[in-house]
Amino acid sequence: MAEPSGRGAAPDPFGTGALRERVLRAWAESPARFREDANAEEDYALGGYRDRVVVELAQNAADAAARAGAPGRLWLSLRDGVLVAANDGSPLDAAGVEALSTLRASAKRDDEGAVGRFGVGFAAVVAVSDNPSIGGVEWSAVRARELVARIPALADELARRGGQVPLLRLPFPLTGPLPPPPIPEGAMTVVRLPLRDDAAEALVRDQLDQVGPALMLALPALATIEIEVDGVLLRTVTADHRAPGTAVIDEVPWRTVEAHGRVPAELLADRPTEERARPTWQVRWAMPESGGLPAGTPAVVHAPTPSDERLGLPALLIASFPLAPDRRHVAPGPLTGFLVERAAEAYVRLLRELPTTPSLLDLVPGPVGAGELDAAIRRAVLARLPETPLLPTAATQDGEVVRGRDAVAVDGPPALIELLAGGPAGTEVVVPGLLPAGWPVRHQALAALGVRRMELADIVDELAALDREPAWWRRLYEAFTGASTDSLGALPVPLAGEPDPFREHAARMVRGPRGLLVAAEGIDPAALGALGLRFVHPEAEHPLLLRLGAVEAGPRTVLADPAVRAAVDGSFDADDPDRVAGAVLGLAAAAHLDPGTEPWLAELALPGDDGELYAAGELLLPGSPLRDIMAGDAPFGVVAGELVERWGTEPLEAVGVLDGFALVRGENVSLTALADLADSFDLDGEDLWAEEVLDRLGLQELPPLVPEFQAVRDLELVADWDAALRCLARPPWRAALVEPAHVTLDDGRRVSVPSYTAWWLGRHPVLDGRRPAELRFAAGSEPLAGLYEAVSGDLDRELLLALGVRTSLDALLAEPGGAQELLDRMGDPDRAVARDQLSVLWTALADLPEDARIRPPERVRAVVDGEVEVADAADALVLDRPDLLPLLVGQPLVIAAYGRAERLAELLDLPMAAEEIPGVVESPGEKRSVPHVVHALLPDAPETYLAHERLVVDGQPVPWWYEHGEIHASGPAGLARGLAWACERWDDRLLLEAALRDPSALPALQAESDLRTT
C-alpha cells in the first residue's frame, strides 16, 4: 500500500519508507495485527518502561560504546521541554532503525556483550514523547495517525482507540535541521525527545537526578555521563573500570566481584528462543570501600538495569536474571535459582576480599528478606557463611582468618580477651578462636556466621580446669576490671597455704571468691595455717575479689570466720593443739579483744600449769583472786606460766582465761531463743531469766531483743560470797550487775528489766546466807520491820538495790509477786508484826489495783481481842463495821483502814463480819433529838437517834448500833461513835464524845481540832 506523495521525496538513507509500507500493508490486511502492535507498544510505554527512558538511553549508549570497543560517553540535556541524549560509539545503522521500529526484535541478539537484548527498551521514549528522533530518523504520532486514518479497514479500531496508534512501528526520515542545543563533539548518535507535557518533563527531571553510581556500575561500557539542565551543566558522573576487582565512580572507590559463565542448556528450557540463543550468565556485586550504598542508590536487583526486585543487602547486585514479560520482575524458574546460587557465591567471595574489621558483620544478611528473590539470595549466602573463613582471632597474626563455626565471641574487656587468647607473652591459649577485642559480640550476624558466643559465666567454667601460677590469676582478675560481676561468682581463686600436689603450679584452687579472706596488713596467712582458713594467695590478691565477696581480713574479721570457730571447737582433738592456740592467741592480741567479746573463744584448748589441756574459760591466771573465791571443786586450772610469759595477760583474758569473773557479751540477743535454749551463753538458769522477762513483757508479735547483752559467768561456782561481791562491785563486772538490760519490743519501745547477773544473785543466798530479796534497808522500810531483816555490811546502796534488797512497802507491792510474798511472810508465825504496823500492811494490800490478783492465804496475821496473832484464814473475818466489835470477842479479825473492808475481803477471799453477825436489836429505844452541839461539828448529822437505857443486840449489851440509817446508842460515847460512823467522820468520834459530855467546852475543842497534823 503506497503512501501519499509530498514528503516522500526527502532523503531516506535508512529505508524507512519500505518499513512503513510493509507495516501499513500488514495492518490493512489484518486489523488485528494493528490492534496487537498498538496494545504491545502501549503496554511497554505505560508498563515495564514507563519510567526508564533515561536508563534505556544510557543502555543504548553503553551498547554503542561496547560495539566500538572504547569507553563510552553520554551527554544528556534537558532544555525548553526537549530531552536530548548524545553518545559516541557505533552510530545508528539501517538494521538499528528497523530494530527500533520492530517490537521485540533486537538487532543486538548476536552481540553477547550488549546490554539490550529484547528489542523493546526504546519503547520507553513513548512514555514521554510523541515525536522522538534518533540520527536521521523520527517517529511522529501525528504523521502515523494520518497514515492509519487513510486505511478504511482501521477506521473503526482507530476510533475505538481514541486516535492512539503504535508510534514506533512507523519511522520517518528526519527532515529539516534540528534546533539547539548544540551536539557535543564526537557524538555519533543523537536522540531528541520533545516532551509531551509538564508531567513528562517532571518525570524526566526525576530520572536525571537519579543518575549515579548504580547506573555506571550496571553499564560498565560507559565512562562518562554529563547532565545539563536548562543550559547549566549540573554534574558529570565518571567511572573507571580498568583495575580488576575495583571501580572508581566519581572518584569513590568501589570493590567489585564478578562471576560469569555459560548457562547449562537444561536451565533454558522454559526461556524464550532468543534467550536460549545467548546462553551466558553474569553476576556482579559492587560496594563502596567505605561501606554502605550511597544515598539515593536504588536498593533493587539490576538485571542489568534496575528492576522492581527489592534487595536488602548492603551491596549492588547486577546479574543476568531472566525477566518476566513486564521487564520489571525476575521470572521464576530453574535459571533464576541457578543465578541465586552464583550470586550467593560471589557475595561470599566479596566478603572474603573485604578487610576483616567489625564493619564486616554489617554486611552479613539478616534472616528477613525484602522480597522473595532477596530472601532466596540471603538463604543461599547464609548457608555458605559458617564454612567460610572470614573472621580474625585475637591470637592469630598476618591476616589469618577462621571459619565462623571455629570462632568464639566473648563479651569482655580488651585485657581479658588478650589474656584468654594467650596474651603478649605467648602464654598458652585459654579460649581458641577468640574474636579480637572491639568486635560486637552480640551482633546478630555472629549467629549467622556460626560463631559460638560465650558468656562470662561460661568463661569462668572454662577457667576452672586451668593450671596457672597465682600471679597469672591476678592478671586475669585485673583483666576482668570493668566487666559485670554478675557472672563471676564462681571465678577460680588460688589459696595460700598448703600446695596442691596434683597441680604443677602448686596453689590449691577453689571456685568462687565469696567468703575467702584477703589478708590485711599485719596478717600472715602462713602463721594461721592451723586454723583451716581460706586465704587468697598473696600473689593473686586483687580488688575484684573483694567486690565478689572476698573479705579483707584484719584480726577481728579473721576471728569471725567460721573456720576459726571450728578450729577452736576442735582444738582438743587437733593434731597440734599448741599451734591452734598460738594462732588464735596471736589474732586475739592483734585484735585487742576485750574479755567476753567472743564467748566461744573460751573453748580454746590451752595447757594448764599441770600439763593438762583445759578450755580457756576453765583456766585462771596465776594471780587471780578467783582462786580463793571459787569452791574447791570448781573445774578451774591455772594457765601454764610459759603462755603468760609469751603472750601476756590481755590475749589470754580475751580468749577466756580468768583473772576476775568471766564476762559474756552478745548483740541483739533474742529472749525467745534464750528461753528455748536455742541460743545459749552457758549461763546458769539463763532460760529461766529469759522466761521471767518474757512474762513481764507480755505477749509480743515478734521476739523481743536485747541489743547489748552482758552477764557474769560461773556465779554458781562461788564459795566465798563476801569476797565475790566485793569483786563484783568493781569494774568491769559492776556494770553487768547494776545496769538493767534494755529490751527492744516489736513496736520499737525499749523496756528496762533486771540484768541476768542481778536476777541470778537476787535468787541466791549471797548476803550473809540470805537472798537479797529477804533483806531490807533500815531507813524507809519500817512497815516491813519484822518481816524482813535489815541488811548489814559495807556494800553500797546502788549495788544492794540491784541485788534486790527491799526498800519500801510500796516498792515491794509494785514488784511482780510482791503482794503474794508479803502475804506469805505475814502468815509466818516466826516473824513479828506490831499492832500499829499490821493495819498499815492490810491497808496497803487493800489499795492494790483492781486487776491485782493474789492466791488467798491459808494463814493470816489477825487481831484477836486487841492482840496480833497468826490465825487460820478459815477462822478469820474482815471487820467492816466498828459497832460489831462487842459481838466479836475471841474472833480473829483482819482490819484495814476505813472504807477498805469490801476490797480486802474480795482480795483475801474472806467473809466480812457483817455477813456473819445477825445483828438483831432486842431492847426498846426512844427517839430523841440529836443535841445542837453535834451540828456545830457535824452539819450533816441526823436530827434524831434512838436512845436506849441498855442497848442489847443479839443478846449482848453494846454501846451503839447503826442499822438501816438509824443510830441506836446508850450514852454519850455510843452516840458519838454512831454519829461519826453515820456521817463517815469516824476520826472525829472522840471530839464528838467530848462535846456531848461538856457542850460548854466546844470552842476549846474546836480550837484543839484545828491544830491537827493532817
Side-chain angles (χ1 to χ4, degrees):
M1 179 178 181
E3 288 185 38
S5 60
R7 299 184 63 176
D12 189 9
F14 298 106
T16 61
L19 291 176
R20 293 195 304 277
E21 182 69 23
R22 289 197 298 271
V23 171
L24 291 172
R25 184 182 303 110
W27 287 351
E29 294 175 354
S30 176
R33 176 67 178 274
F34 167 77
R35 181 182 176 188
E36 179 182 352
D37 286 348
N39 287 340
E41 183 178 284
E42 190 173 35
D43 286 344
Y44 289 127
L46 302 181
Y49 292 88
R50 64 184 178 277
D51 52 1
R52 299 292 180 86
V53 63
V54 171
V55 171
E56 293 298 332
L57 293 173
Q59 178 176 293
N60 287 335
D63 288 340
R67 288 194 299 273
R73 177 186 178 207
L74 173 64
W75 182 76
L76 296 171
S77 173
L78 175 62
R79 180 187 302 183
D80 299 329
V82 177
L83 174 65
V84 176
N87 61 269
D88 56 8
S90 297
L92 182 68
D93 57 16
V97 172
E98 182 177 3
L100 294 177
S101 300
T102 307
L103 291 176
R104 294 198 54 77
S106 175
K108 309 170 189 176
R109 67 179 181 179
D110 296 326
D111 185 359
E112 293 189 359
V115 178
R117 298 176 278 158
F118 309 111
V120 294
F122 194 67
V125 302
V126 181
V128 295
S129 178
D130 290 334
N131 189 203
S133 64
I134 178 170
V137 181
E138 70 171 339
W139 292 265
S140 169
V142 173
R143 296 174 67 182
R145 191 177 301 112
E146 290 176 353
L147 294 178
V148 172
R150 292 189 178 97
I151 301 174
L154 301 180
D156 292 342
E157 183 62 28
L158 183 63
R160 280 195 291 269
R161 303 190 68 84
Q164 187 268 333
V165 295
L167 169 68
L168 296 180
R169 297 288 279 122
L170 300 175
F172 296 91
L174 185 63
T175 59
L178 292 175
I183 304 304
E185 183 178 354
M188 300 301 294
T189 302
V190 178
V191 178
R192 185 173 182 277
L193 303 178
L195 301 179
R196 182 177 297 116
D197 49 27
D198 291 343
E201 184 173 348
L203 182 64
V204 169
R205 287 180 183 271
D206 288 343
Q207 294 179 51
L208 291 175
D209 289 340
Q210 293 172 14
V211 173
L215 186 62
M216 304 302 287
L217 289 164
L219 303 174
L222 288 180
T224 304
I225 298 179
E226 297 180 18
I227 301 174
E228 177 189 281
V229 176
D230 298 329
V232 177
L233 181 63
L234 292 185
R235 68 184 188 279
T236 300
V237 184
T238 62
D240 183 352
H241 300 275
R242 287 173 294 180
T246 62
V248 179
I249 311 297
D250 283 346
E251 300 183 356
V252 175
W254 287 61
R255 189 176 297 273
T256 63
V257 168
E258 295 187 25
H260 55 83
R262 296 189 70 83
V263 180
E266 63 271 16
L267 301 181
L268 296 172
D270 63 341
R271 300 308 301 159
T273 300
E274 291 198 7
E275 285 189 48
R276 295 199 299 272
R278 301 174 65 185
T280 59
W281 62 268
Q282 184 179 24
V283 169
R284 188 183 197 206
W285 287 96
M287 178 188 303
E289 290 189 357
S290 58
L293 293 177
T297 302
V300 296
V301 174
H302 289 65
T305 52
S307 69
D308 283 353
E309 295 288 354
R310 295 172 57 199
L311 184 69
L313 296 177
L316 190 66
L317 173 60
I318 305 157
S320 55
F321 281 104
L323 295 179
D326 63 1
R327 323 316 305 165
R328 304 184 73 90
H329 292 88
V330 172
L335 179 57
T336 294
F338 172 81
L339 290 174
V340 164
E341 297 297 324
R342 305 293 79 75
E345 292 171 354
Y347 189 82
V348 170
R349 185 152 56 89
L350 174 65
L351 296 184
R352 291 198 60 183
E353 294 179 3
L354 292 174
T356 53
T357 63
S359 61
L360 181 69
L361 299 180
D362 296 331
L363 307 179
V364 174
V368 180
E372 184 175 347
L373 181 63
D374 185 34
I377 295 173
R378 287 170 185 263
R379 288 193 298 269
V381 170
L382 292 174
R384 289 167 169 79
L385 287 181
E387 297 296 334
T388 302
L390 288 175
L391 300 175
T393 68
T396 57
Q397 300 177 355
D398 300 327
E400 182 182 352
V401 291
V402 298
R403 298 179 304 173
R405 64 174 65 258
D406 296 328
V408 176
V410 172
D411 188 5
L416 176 64
I417 302 300
E418 182 179 276
L419 191 64
L420 296 178
T427 310
E428 182 182 350
V429 174
V430 177
V431 181
L434 193 60
L435 287 180
W439 280 66
V441 299
R442 300 193 181 278
H443 198 294
Q444 65 176 5
L446 293 179
L449 291 171
V451 176
R452 179 167 61 103
R453 190 170 72 203
M454 294 183 68
E455 303 295 341
L456 290 184
D458 302 323
I459 294 296
V460 169
D461 289 338
E462 294 280 340
L463 294 171
L466 293 183
D467 183 13
R468 297 286 191 276
E469 70 277 3
W472 185 91
W473 291 102
R474 190 187 191 286
R475 293 198 301 273
L476 175 72
Y477 306 148
E478 178 66 26
F480 273 115
T481 299
S484 171
T485 59
D486 294 343
S487 303
L488 304 182
L491 198 63
V493 183
L495 298 182
E498 296 295 329
D500 186 343
F502 300 103
R503 300 179 70 88
E504 177 184 351
H505 295 288
R508 276 193 308 128
M509 302 294 296
V510 294
R511 295 292 300 273
R514 181 166 297 281
L516 299 184
L517 302 178
V518 177
E521 185 175 356
I523 294 294
D524 180 10
L528 304 176
L531 300 181
L533 295 164
R534 300 196 305 167
F535 276 96
V536 176
H537 196 287
E539 296 180 15
E541 292 177 1
H542 190 274
L544 174 67
L545 301 180
L546 299 177
R547 289 169 53 203
L548 294 173
V551 179
E552 187 171 10
R556 288 182 180 266
T557 304
V558 174
L559 279 171
D561 192 279
V564 177
R565 187 161 190 168
V568 169
D569 290 343
S571 57
F572 280 92
D573 299 322
D575 294 337
D576 190 349
D578 290 341
R579 193 163 169 237
V580 175
V584 174
L585 288 171
L587 288 172
H592 301 289
L593 284 183
D594 292 328
T597 302
E598 302 291 349
W600 53 271
L601 287 173
E603 298 300 321
L604 178 66
L606 295 177
D609 61 0
D610 58 0
E612 297 293 328
L613 286 178
Y614 292 81
E618 297 174 358
L619 286 172
L620 305 178
L621 291 174
S624 171
L626 291 185
R627 298 180 69 177
D628 299 324
I629 291 175
M630 294 298 186
D633 60 351
F636 289 107
V638 177
V639 70
E642 57 267 24
L643 285 181
V644 180
E645 183 178 348
R646 178 183 176 188
W647 295 104
T649 60
E650 284 189 9
L652 291 170
E653 288 186 76
V655 300
V657 177
L658 302 176
D659 183 28
F661 283 99
L663 278 172
V664 295
R665 292 183 172 89
E667 295 182 355
N668 294 323
V669 175
S670 168
L671 288 174
T672 302
L674 202 60
D676 296 337
L677 293 179
D679 192 5
S680 176
F681 294 97
D682 292 329
L683 298 169
D684 182 50
E686 60 189 4
D687 55 329
L688 301 178
W689 171 75
E691 288 176 0
E692 287 194 17
V693 173
L694 290 172
D695 288 343
R696 175 180 293 193
L697 298 176
L699 186 63
Q700 301 291 319
E701 292 186 6
L702 297 174
L705 300 177
V706 180
E708 297 179 358
F709 177 82
Q710 59 178 347
V712 178
R713 203 188 69 191
D714 302 326
L715 295 174
E716 70 275 13
L717 303 177
V718 171
D720 185 350
W721 275 111
D722 288 341
L725 289 177
R726 284 194 298 273
C727 181
L728 292 172
R730 300 192 303 271
W733 307 282
R734 182 183 181 88
L737 197 163
V738 302
E739 293 180 3
H742 300 289
V743 183
T744 302
L745 305 184
D746 55 11
D747 59 2
R749 292 183 297 119
R750 295 187 66 179
V751 178
S752 297
V753 299
S755 68
Y756 162 82
T757 305
W759 170 86
W760 193 96
L761 292 171
R763 291 167 58 91
H764 293 82
V766 300
L767 291 174
D768 296 329
R770 295 179 181 273
R771 293 187 302 108
E774 295 176 346
L775 301 173
R776 65 179 178 86
F777 289 100
S781 62
E782 288 79 1
L784 301 179
L787 298 174
Y788 296 86
E789 293 186 19
V791 69
S792 60
D794 57 357
L795 294 176
D796 62 88
R797 182 179 177 85
E798 183 184 34
L799 191 70
L800 293 172
L801 282 171
L803 291 174
V805 173
R806 303 301 182 186
T807 58
S808 66
L809 175 60
D810 290 342
L812 172 63
L813 294 178
E815 181 181 304
Q820 192 68 55
E821 181 177 322
L822 177 61
L823 271 177
D824 293 343
R825 286 178 171 265
M826 289 173 65
D828 184 354
D830 293 334
R831 304 184 188 279
V833 178
R835 176 68 181 78
D836 58 345
Q837 179 187 357
L838 183 59
S839 177
V840 172
L841 296 174
W842 286 127
T843 300
L845 285 167
D847 287 340
L848 288 173
E850 288 294 329
D851 59 352
R853 294 291 181 267
I854 61 173
R855 183 178 67 256
E858 295 181 0
R859 300 170 67 85
V860 294
R861 187 79 59 163
V863 176
V864 182
D865 297 338
E867 299 295 328
V868 177
E869 297 180 6
V870 175
D872 289 337
D875 298 332
L877 297 176
V878 176
L879 181 64
D880 53 336
R881 286 167 44 188
D883 55 351
L884 296 172
L885 283 170
L887 306 178
L888 298 172
V889 176
Q891 173 67 47
L893 297 177
V894 175
I895 307 173
Y898 177 83
R900 271 83 165 185
E902 184 175 355
R903 168 62 177 151
L904 190 58
E906 177 187 1
L907 193 67
L908 300 178
D909 196 21
L910 295 178
M912 292 189 293
E915 297 172 350
E916 301 297 321
I917 302 301
V920 177
V921 178
E922 298 176 354
S923 60
E926 179 184 351
K927 183 174 289 192
R928 294 181 184 177
S929 296
V930 172
H932 292 296
V933 68
V934 171
H935 291 286
L937 296 173
L938 296 177
D940 295 332
E943 296 294 330
T944 62
Y945 73 100
L946 292 173
H948 291 259
E949 195 67 32
R950 182 172 180 272
L951 178 58
V952 178
V953 176
D954 292 345
Q956 295 290 330
V958 297
W960 66 283
W961 192 260
Y962 183 70
E963 184 179 49
H964 306 305
E966 286 190 322
I967 301 171
H968 299 263
S970 62
L975 179 58
R977 283 163 173 75
L979 289 169
W981 186 257
C983 293
E984 299 183 0
R985 296 278 292 274
W986 184 244
D987 289 344
D988 292 331
R989 63 192 182 282
L990 298 180
L991 176 63
L992 285 171
E993 181 181 353
L996 287 171
R997 291 185 184 279
D998 184 4
S1000 64
L1002 179 61
L1005 293 172
Q1006 289 177 318
E1008 292 174 355
S1009 179
D1010 290 340
L1011 293 174
R1012 72 182 71 185
T1013 58
T1014 59

